[in-house]
Structures are given as structure tokens and as C-alpha cells.
Amino acid sequence: MSNTITVFKGDGIGPEITDAVLKILDEAGAGLAYEIFSVGEAEFEAHGELIPQEGFASFEKNRVLLKSPITTPVGKGFRSLNVMMRKKYDLYANIRPARSNSAVKTPFENVDIVIFRENTEDLYAGIEEMADEDTARSIKIITRKCSQRIIKDAFDYAVRQGRKKVTCVHKANIMKLSDGLFRDVFYEVSREYPQIEAEDKIVDNVAMQLVMKPQQFDVIVTENLYGDILSDLTSGLIGGLGLLPSSNLGCGYAMFEAVHGSAPDIAKKGIANPTAFLWSACMMLEHMGKSDCAARIRKAVDQVLAEGTVKTPDLGGRATTAEYTEAIIRRLC
Ligand code: NAI
């Protein structure tokens, strides 16, 4: 695998956390070369394209993309670039690990949940129309093929990582055909993995159970919309969106990004927490066979969090992004 990666800088806090993460990667000796592109609304206003053609070409060549968040207008304007990227490159498996860190105190301890979110269909297929002036319709798509591959990935991961249980999350009591198909496929696939416990739960119950007793969950596999919402919930269990990384994997392409968005409320203030994006970069290093470097970075972050003196405001501290970044770099060994 090449050591050159494509980087999309995004907007809001995107540029700030990108600069922080690339600096740490360099100081940790990741040995990467970067092809960096500005993407999003500002790029559109400046050059007429949300993502420059060279950006797509670079990703198609390098096959690995580190992408910082991009703002999506609500209710109008262009469609989400995130959804577009996932569909265009069939990045069907969105993997979102939420693990408690003993240095970050929350009301919840020992949380270790990995969500496998189907990334290409469901209500996110973007098939919407106005049936008449007062009626909007969105179509939900669930296919056997897309369900099979994400569910299989979740079980394969459970086996590889020594996990015990996979929970299928759905709403098949109401959406009997679409969610019913997802659930049926789940149990079909589960028969190939007798060593892993398979269970299914309805999404509203899961939202409650995640808050009451999150330790009961291990690996969760679910559809696009439920996965999007529940993974923000799991980030809340471990200390917030600043701590939840993700990978988006497909056939031959891999995109790594934080779960959070562009956080316009804190953009350009220099206080964004780059940890989720940094841990996404660690997932990228592991994907590229650079697990030692990823482990070195994770250890440095753990040390800084454990010492507790240099924390960004979302974690109750007063440090700037730059101060936190420097503290991590000082602890790299
Ligand atoms: P958001 O995730 O940007 O922010 C939610 C809250 O969490 C805000 O209070 C924010 O300050 C805080 N937060 C998020 N990341 C943080 C970090 N690294 N450090 C400290 N605090 C952090 O969600 P919101 O406000 O709903 O969305 C803003 C924009 O981001 C929207 O346009 C949305 O469409 C877009 N978005 C983009 C994503 C992506 O590019 N993958 C994912 C989610 C949202």
C-alpha cells in the first residue's frame, strides 16, 4: 500500500483539527505524504465545485482518505457530501467504536460498543419527492445484498476481535418488510457464526437500554439512520462527540473521519477537540499496516488525558487545540 493519502479539509472546525492531526502524524513518524484539498461550501464559492475533480482523482489513486467534517445545509441547498462520498465509492461499512477512557469521567463506566452502520441505503438513499404541495415522501430502501455484507462484516469483526455478541437493531415491528428483511438476513448470516451470540432488539428499546445498561452491548449492527443516531448516543456515554472516531470501508476504498460534524458554534475559536479525528487517523494507520505508530499515538493521548491538566473545553478543560496537540506530541515516544 502506498504511503500517500488524500486529505479533505472540510469546513467549520475541519481545517483546525486537520492541521492538528497531520502535525501529530508527522511527529509520530507515520511516514505519510499528503495530497490536501479544501472541500465544502467555501470551495464552491471560490471555485464552483464542492469537491475539486483533482480531489476525487487523488482518492481514486490513493484509495485512502482522511476527511474532516463538512457542513451540510439543513432543509435546502446541496446534498450531503458525506452521503455522496459513501455512495459514490460504495463505502458501505461505517464502523464506530465507543470505548470508555478511564481519564474521562462520565456517569457510565466500562462502555465498549462497536456500531456497524450500513452506509449506503435506508432513508439516506435520498429518494424524496413532493407528492403534492403539502405532502413530502421519502423512500426507504433495504436490500438483501447490502444487509448481508454489513452483517457479515460485523460478525467477522466479532470473531477477529474476540467479541461475544452481535445485536441487530431494527424497527421490524412497524416496518415489517424493510426492517423485517434486515432482521431475517441477520439471523441467516448468524448461522455461519455459531460461536457468537446473536440477538435482535427494537431501536427505541435500544436507545433506553444504552442509557440504562450500556455494558450489555458488544457489537451492534444496524441500518443507516438508526446507526447515525445511536452512535451519537454512544459518544455521549464516553464523553462526547470529540471522542468518537469512525472508518468507512468499501471494496478497495477507505475513508476515515470523526463522527462529529463541523461544529460551527466553536469554529475558528481554536478550542475544538481533535481526538475523534486523531483516533480516526489511528484507525487509518491500522488499515495501512502501521499499527505500531497508531499504538504510539493512542498511548500519548491516553497519557495526556490521564494527567488531566491539558484538556479542551468539551472535556471540562481550558486548553486550546494547539496546546492539546503539543501536549500529545511531547508524550510521543
Ligand atoms: P456537530 O457534531 O458539528 O456538533 C454538535 C455539538 O458537539 C456542538 O455543540 C459542537 O460544538 C460539539 N462538537 C462536535 N465536535 C466537537 C469537537 N471535535 N470538539 C468539541 N466539541 C465538538 O453537529 P451539528 O451541529 O448538528 O452539525 C454541524 C454541521 O456538521 C451540519 O452542517 C451537519 O450536517 C454537519 N455534519 C457533518 C458530518 C461529517 O462531515 N461527517 C457529520 C455530522 C454532521
Side-chain angles (χ1 to χ4, degrees):
M1 185 175 276
S2 151
N3 280 330
T4 304
I5 64 161
T6 305
V7 178
F8 284 0
K9 255 189 167 175
D11 45 31
I13 59 170
E16 308 162 39
I17 59 173
T18 306
D19 291 345
V21 166
L22 297 189
K23 194 165 183 197
I24 294 168
L25 288 174
D26 287 343
E27 296 288 342
L32 298 175
Y34 313 114
E35 293 174 359
I36 303 175
F37 301 89
S38 294
V39 302
E41 205 160 15
E43 179 63 18
F44 183 76
E45 276 156 21
H47 301 109
E49 285 177 316
L50 290 160
I51 297 178
Q53 288 308 313
E54 297 78 14
F56 289 120
S58 167
F59 182 34
E60 283 160 26
K61 171 173 63 78
N62 299 325
R63 302 286 173 133
V64 176
L65 170 63
L66 187 61
K67 184 195 132 303
S68 81
I70 305 173
T71 305
T72 307
V74 175
K76 59 181 171 55
F78 59 87
R79 277 191 66 200
S80 163
L81 290 182
N82 306 306
V83 173
M84 183 277 287
M85 287 297 290
R86 293 168 189 155
K87 280 212 62 119
K88 182 173 167 74
Y89 294 102
D90 198 21
L91 300 163
Y92 68 88
N94 188 192
I95 303 158
R96 299 181 157 188
R99 276 185 207 106
S100 296
N101 186 308
S102 55
V104 182
K105 294 291 169 224
T106 79
F108 309 93
E109 286 179 351
N110 303 319
V111 174
D112 186 2
I113 301 168
V114 182
I115 294 187
F116 276 67
R117 164 191 175 195
E118 203 293 320
N119 228 0
T120 58
E121 50 183 21
D122 192 3
L123 283 161
Y124 286 48
I127 309 170
E128 288 195 301
E129 61 177 8
M130 294 304 293
D132 62 47
E133 219 172 74
D134 301 314
T135 315
R137 273 202 285 250
S138 290
I139 310 279
K140 170 167 174 145
I141 307 279
I142 299 292
T143 64
R144 176 173 293 280
K145 178 186 151 218
C146 291
S147 303
Q148 257 167 354
R149 60 186 185 175
I150 185 75
I151 292 166
K152 207 168 173 340
D153 280 9
F155 276 101
D156 283 339
Y157 174 90
V159 171
R160 264 197 328 273
Q161 300 290 324
R163 300 269 180 162
K164 302 275 180 288
K165 182 167 74 173
V166 180
T167 305
C168 167
V169 177
H170 60 82
K171 187 80 183 171
N173 52 331
I174 305 297
M175 280 161 279
K176 294 181 194 294
L177 295 183
S178 52
D179 284 24
L181 175 63
F182 191 80
R183 180 180 174 278
D184 288 349
V185 172
F186 173 77
Y187 281 113
E188 280 163 32
V189 172
S190 75
R191 286 200 283 277
E192 295 165 34
Y193 301 87
Q195 69 276 44
I196 305 289
E197 183 186 343
E199 66 169 13
D200 74 282
K201 280 189 164 41
I202 293 172
V203 62
D204 33 351
N205 176 26
V206 169
M208 183 270 290
Q209 301 268 355
L210 275 170
V211 177
M212 297 296 287
K213 199 171 169 232
Q215 299 79 6
Q216 71 182 286
F217 293 100
D218 192 345
V219 176
I220 286 177
V221 64
T222 190
E223 297 166 13
N224 208 337
L225 178 61
Y226 309 143
D228 195 2
I229 296 169
L230 291 181
S231 56
D232 268 35
L233 196 163
T234 58
S235 86
L237 301 175
I238 60 162
L241 278 166
L243 297 175
L244 197 64
S246 84
S247 59
N248 298 264
L249 306 180
C251 308
Y253 290 101
M255 178 172 94
F256 300 85
E257 60 180 347
V259 165
H260 62 72
S262 55
D265 53 336
I266 57 165
K268 299 199 173 91
K269 293 186 178 160
I271 54 168
N273 183 351
T275 309
F277 196 41
L278 182 59
W279 279 338
S280 308
C282 288
M283 291 172 88
M284 175 189 78
L285 291 173
E286 283 152 4
H287 172 82
M288 298 176 79
K290 294 174 180 282
S291 297
D292 288 352
C293 185
R296 216 162 37 249
I297 295 172
R298 287 183 196 279
K299 198 169 154 209
V301 174
D302 282 349
Q303 245 180 297
V304 172
L305 291 176
E307 287 158 15
T309 47
V310 188
K311 281 187 189 170
T312 44
D314 57 307
L315 297 182
R318 303 173 122 207
T320 62
T321 312
E323 287 163 348
Y324 180 68
T325 303
E326 288 306 323
I328 293 171
I329 289 169
R330 278 198 298 278
R331 274 142 197 96
L332 287 168
C333 51

